[in-house]
Structures are given as structure tokens and as C-alpha cells.
Amino acid sequence: MIPELWVLALCCLAYYLAAGVAITFGYHRLLTHRSFRLPPWLERAVVCLGLPAGTPIQWVGNHRQHHAQEDREGDPHSPHLDGFWYAHVGWYLGTHNRLVCFLYSLAGPLRMLFDGWHRPRTNQASAALAQDVARDPFYAFVSRPLPYQAACTLHALVPGVLAYAGWGWVGVGAFWLTLVVVYNLGDCIDSVAHLWGARPYPHASQARNNWVLGLLTMGEGWHANHHAFPASARHGLLPYQPDGTWLAIRLLRGLGIAKQVVVPSPEQLERRLQPERAATGDGSPA
């Protein structure tokens, strides 16, 4: 008997949350910015969940390059320099063709399989910025073409086969849609979060605090905060900015698992906000 559809919905929600944690918690705040520390076995387990996002070396190097240039020449994915679709997904492929970008953004598990071959062989220009990651034997291994292809293939096939076994083509369709949502929410941080939202800091980049993305990406959408304090484990720094990833980090810190957690002090936050408040005269964002 085919399980109820509400079970399928819960499975899709669980996949969405696991993928979100793997990227926001593992790849971004832990591996790239070293905002906190975990035991090596747990760090690697979390990163393995997020492998379809890109090889650890490539992902970390590109993101650090993005912070180094911040919407200036040399930024791998600025919508202000190269347009929305290139910043959204085109930079992965090296194309400005909007149709190709649109189809790629909807490819779901096919995108995952393609990326397994494509990612280790492209966008390596910033790999030198991830030398700390490259020196780790495990991350060096999974960043190689064949191990990475195998990992992406398993990431696509195992959930797809389970979805088909439980719910037939409806399950496959639900898995596909879930992947499209997960991928595009992550891509929106590179595109949407540099175009629409609040800019509470006098900042060289165009990063924005976008409340919709803040909610849907477990805190990653508070992107202006992140660019102002890249090393912070907490992105929802201002009042009424929920940050699901920070809640997970705080829980692990309370359990003694997460160590060396970096968060700006109230004084540091106030100093970054103060010039903008002086410019507006009332303390509100410009």
C-alpha cells in the first residue's frame, strides 16, 4: 500500500532542512568562515550532506573570492556586474544565455548529475583561497572528479529510488521539486540578496537583508549582516531577524559540541550601524 501523501510531504521537508543545514551550517559558516568549530568527524559528516553544492575546495574558494571583491571586478557572481541570471546560476556554467540558465535552474536531479562531472573541472580560479581545505586529505579526496561524481550520483539516485519505491512517479516529482527549491534558494543568495532588501550598513557591497530569504534559507538571507560581519556564526543580528542556523549552532554550543563560536559584540554592531544612523539622522536604515 502506497504511504499517505502527508508522509511524502514530511520527507520532502526533512530533505529541505537537511540540505539547508548542510550548506548554511556546514559549507558556509563552518567550512568557509570558520565561525565555529566541530569535532572533525561531525564536520565531515555535515559537509558530505551538502556535496552536491560543489566540491569543498571550489565552493570555499569561490565564496572567499566573493567576499574579497564584493560586487567589484573579480567577484564570481555579482548581479550588478553580470546580470541576474549569470549571478543566479550562469557563473556555474560560464554562460549568460538566459534560456540555458533557466533550464539548468529547473533541472533538479539532472543538475546534480551534471554537476558531479562539471564542478570539479570548472571554476577553479579561486581554489588558492581554500588552501586550508585542500590540505585536509578528506576534502582533497572528495573534491577529485571521480569521488565527487560518485557522491553526486548517490545523492541523486538514493532519494530518487526511495521516492519511486514509496510513491511512484508522484514521489519522483516531489523529490525533483524539492531539489529545485533547495538549489534556487541557495542561488538566490548570490542574485536576489544583492538586489532587493535593506542595506543597514555603509558598505561597499550591495548585499541586502531580505526577510523572505532570511526565513526560507535558515538565516542566510540576512546577507547585509553577513557581509558586514563575515566571520559571525550568527547572521540574524538585528531585532526580529530569525536565524535557524544560529539556533542549531547555539544548541551545539550549549551541549559543548560547537567550540570557538564567533559573534560580534553589541558594541561592534553599534559601531557598524552608527555611521549610517548619523547619515539618516533618525537611526533608521537608508
Side-chain angles (χ1 to χ4, degrees), residues 34-58:
R34 293 300 181 186
S35 301
F36 60 101
R37 299 283 180 167
L38 290 181
W41 68 267
L42 182 55
E43 175 185 307
R44 292 171 179 178
V46 173
V47 170
C48 281
L49 284 177
L51 282 175
T55 75
I57 296 173
Q58 179 210 47

Short mmCIF file of all heavy atoms in Angstrom, two decimals, residues 34-58:
data_model
loop_
_atom_site.label_atom_id
_atom_site.label_comp_id
_atom_site.label_asym_id
_atom_site.label_seq_id
_atom_site.Cartn_x
_atom_site.Cartn_y
_atom_site.Cartn_z
N ARG A 34 34.84 29.54 9.16
CA ARG A 34 35.34 29.04 10.45
C ARG A 34 34.75 29.85 11.61
O ARG A 34 35.45 30.25 12.54
CB ARG A 34 36.87 29.06 10.48
CG ARG A 34 37.51 28.08 9.51
CD ARG A 34 37.09 26.67 9.82
NE ARG A 34 37.70 25.68 8.91
CZ ARG A 34 37.39 24.38 8.92
NH1 ARG A 34 36.48 23.93 9.77
NH2 ARG A 34 37.97 23.55 8.09
N SER A 35 33.42 30.07 11.52
CA SER A 35 32.72 30.82 12.55
C SER A 35 32.59 30.04 13.85
O SER A 35 32.27 30.62 14.89
CB SER A 35 31.31 31.20 12.06
OG SER A 35 31.40 31.98 10.89
N PHE A 36 32.81 28.75 13.79
CA PHE A 36 32.81 27.89 14.96
C PHE A 36 33.56 26.63 14.58
O PHE A 36 33.95 26.44 13.43
CB PHE A 36 31.38 27.58 15.43
CG PHE A 36 30.53 26.88 14.40
CD1 PHE A 36 30.32 25.50 14.46
CD2 PHE A 36 29.92 27.59 13.38
CE1 PHE A 36 29.54 24.86 13.52
CE2 PHE A 36 29.13 26.95 12.43
CZ PHE A 36 28.95 25.59 12.50
N ARG A 37 33.76 25.76 15.55
CA ARG A 37 34.47 24.51 15.32
C ARG A 37 33.64 23.34 15.80
O ARG A 37 32.93 23.44 16.80
CB ARG A 37 35.82 24.53 16.06
CG ARG A 37 36.76 25.64 15.62
CD ARG A 37 37.42 25.33 14.31
NE ARG A 37 38.31 26.41 13.89
CZ ARG A 37 39.21 26.31 12.92
NH1 ARG A 37 39.34 25.15 12.27
NH2 ARG A 37 39.97 27.33 12.57
N LEU A 38 33.75 22.24 15.07
CA LEU A 38 33.11 20.98 15.44
C LEU A 38 34.16 19.88 15.47
O LEU A 38 35.22 20.01 14.85
CB LEU A 38 32.02 20.60 14.43
CG LEU A 38 30.75 21.43 14.37
CD1 LEU A 38 29.83 20.85 13.31
CD2 LEU A 38 30.05 21.49 15.71
N PRO A 39 33.87 18.77 16.14
CA PRO A 39 34.76 17.61 16.00
C PRO A 39 34.89 17.23 14.52
O PRO A 39 33.91 17.30 13.78
CB PRO A 39 34.04 16.52 16.80
CG PRO A 39 33.16 17.26 17.75
CD PRO A 39 32.75 18.51 17.06
N PRO A 40 36.09 16.86 14.07
CA PRO A 40 36.30 16.60 12.63
C PRO A 40 35.31 15.60 12.03
O PRO A 40 34.84 15.79 10.90
CB PRO A 40 37.73 16.06 12.58
CG PRO A 40 38.41 16.69 13.76
CD PRO A 40 37.35 16.75 14.84
N TRP A 41 34.95 14.54 12.77
CA TRP A 41 34.04 13.55 12.20
C TRP A 41 32.66 14.15 11.93
O TRP A 41 32.02 13.84 10.91
CB TRP A 41 33.91 12.34 13.14
CG TRP A 41 33.21 12.65 14.44
CD1 TRP A 41 33.78 13.01 15.61
CD2 TRP A 41 31.79 12.62 14.68
NE1 TRP A 41 32.83 13.22 16.58
CE2 TRP A 41 31.59 12.99 16.04
CE3 TRP A 41 30.67 12.33 13.90
CZ2 TRP A 41 30.32 13.07 16.61
CZ3 TRP A 41 29.41 12.40 14.47
CH2 TRP A 41 29.25 12.77 15.81
N LEU A 42 32.20 15.05 12.82
CA LEU A 42 30.89 15.66 12.64
C LEU A 42 30.94 16.71 11.53
O LEU A 42 30.00 16.80 10.72
CB LEU A 42 30.43 16.30 13.96
CG LEU A 42 29.05 16.95 13.95
CD1 LEU A 42 27.98 15.96 13.49
CD2 LEU A 42 28.72 17.49 15.35
N GLU A 43 32.00 17.47 11.48
CA GLU A 43 32.16 18.46 10.40
C GLU A 43 32.10 17.77 9.04
O GLU A 43 31.39 18.20 8.13
CB GLU A 43 33.48 19.19 10.56
CG GLU A 43 33.79 20.13 9.41
CD GLU A 43 35.16 20.76 9.52
OE1 GLU A 43 35.47 21.35 10.58
OE2 GLU A 43 35.94 20.68 8.54
N ARG A 44 32.84 16.68 8.90
CA ARG A 44 32.88 15.99 7.61
C ARG A 44 31.55 15.36 7.26
O ARG A 44 31.15 15.34 6.08
CB ARG A 44 34.00 14.96 7.63
CG ARG A 44 35.38 15.58 7.68
CD ARG A 44 36.48 14.59 7.91
NE ARG A 44 37.79 15.23 7.94
CZ ARG A 44 38.93 14.62 8.17
NH1 ARG A 44 38.94 13.31 8.40
NH2 ARG A 44 40.07 15.29 8.17
N ALA A 45 30.84 14.86 8.26
CA ALA A 45 29.52 14.28 8.00
C ALA A 45 28.56 15.33 7.48
O ALA A 45 27.80 15.08 6.53
CB ALA A 45 28.98 13.64 9.28
N VAL A 46 28.58 16.53 8.08
CA VAL A 46 27.69 17.60 7.64
C VAL A 46 28.06 18.04 6.22
O VAL A 46 27.18 18.24 5.37
CB VAL A 46 27.76 18.79 8.62
CG1 VAL A 46 26.96 19.97 8.07
CG2 VAL A 46 27.22 18.39 9.98
N VAL A 47 29.35 18.20 5.95
CA VAL A 47 29.79 18.62 4.63
C VAL A 47 29.38 17.58 3.58
O VAL A 47 28.98 17.93 2.45
CB VAL A 47 31.30 18.87 4.61
CG1 VAL A 47 31.81 19.06 3.18
CG2 VAL A 47 31.64 20.10 5.44
N CYS A 48 29.46 16.30 3.91
CA CYS A 48 29.07 15.25 2.96
C CYS A 48 27.61 15.38 2.56
O CYS A 48 27.24 15.08 1.42
CB CYS A 48 29.34 13.87 3.55
SG CYS A 48 31.08 13.37 3.46
N LEU A 49 26.77 15.82 3.47
CA LEU A 49 25.36 16.04 3.14
C LEU A 49 25.19 17.11 2.07
O LEU A 49 24.24 17.09 1.30
CB LEU A 49 24.56 16.44 4.39
CG LEU A 49 24.22 15.35 5.39
CD1 LEU A 49 23.51 15.97 6.60
CD2 LEU A 49 23.32 14.29 4.75
N GLY A 50 26.12 18.05 2.03
CA GLY A 50 26.00 19.17 1.10
C GLY A 50 26.84 19.07 -0.15
O GLY A 50 26.91 20.02 -0.92
N LEU A 51 27.47 17.92 -0.40
CA LEU A 51 28.40 17.81 -1.52
C LEU A 51 27.82 18.23 -2.88
O LEU A 51 28.56 18.79 -3.70
CB LEU A 51 28.95 16.38 -1.61
CG LEU A 51 30.05 16.04 -0.61
CD1 LEU A 51 30.43 14.57 -0.72
CD2 LEU A 51 31.28 16.92 -0.82
N PRO A 52 26.54 18.01 -3.18
CA PRO A 52 26.04 18.46 -4.49
C PRO A 52 26.13 19.97 -4.70
O PRO A 52 26.02 20.44 -5.84
CB PRO A 52 24.58 18.00 -4.49
CG PRO A 52 24.58 16.81 -3.60
CD PRO A 52 25.55 17.15 -2.50
N ALA A 53 26.38 20.75 -3.65
CA ALA A 53 26.52 22.20 -3.82
C ALA A 53 27.81 22.57 -4.53
O ALA A 53 27.95 23.68 -5.05
CB ALA A 53 26.46 22.89 -2.47
N GLY A 54 28.77 21.67 -4.55
CA GLY A 54 30.07 21.94 -5.15
C GLY A 54 31.15 21.24 -4.36
O GLY A 54 30.94 20.84 -3.21
N THR A 55 32.32 21.07 -4.96
CA THR A 55 33.39 20.45 -4.20
C THR A 55 33.78 21.39 -3.06
O THR A 55 33.69 22.61 -3.19
CB THR A 55 34.63 20.18 -5.07
OG1 THR A 55 35.32 21.40 -5.33
CG2 THR A 55 34.25 19.50 -6.38
N PRO A 56 34.19 20.85 -1.92
CA PRO A 56 34.57 21.73 -0.80
C PRO A 56 35.61 22.78 -1.18
O PRO A 56 35.49 23.95 -0.79
CB PRO A 56 35.10 20.75 0.25
CG PRO A 56 34.37 19.47 -0.03
CD PRO A 56 34.22 19.43 -1.52
N ILE A 57 36.63 22.39 -1.94
CA ILE A 57 37.68 23.34 -2.32
C ILE A 57 37.12 24.44 -3.22
O ILE A 57 37.36 25.63 -3.00
CB ILE A 57 38.84 22.61 -3.01
CG1 ILE A 57 39.51 21.63 -2.04
CG2 ILE A 57 39.86 23.61 -3.56
CD1 ILE A 57 40.56 20.74 -2.69
N GLN A 58 36.36 24.05 -4.22
CA GLN A 58 35.79 25.02 -5.16
C GLN A 58 34.82 25.96 -4.46
O GLN A 58 34.87 27.18 -4.64
CB GLN A 58 35.09 24.28 -6.30
CG GLN A 58 34.44 25.21 -7.31
CD GLN A 58 33.21 24.58 -7.95
OE1 GLN A 58 32.36 24.04 -7.27
NE2 GLN A 58 33.14 24.66 -9.26
#
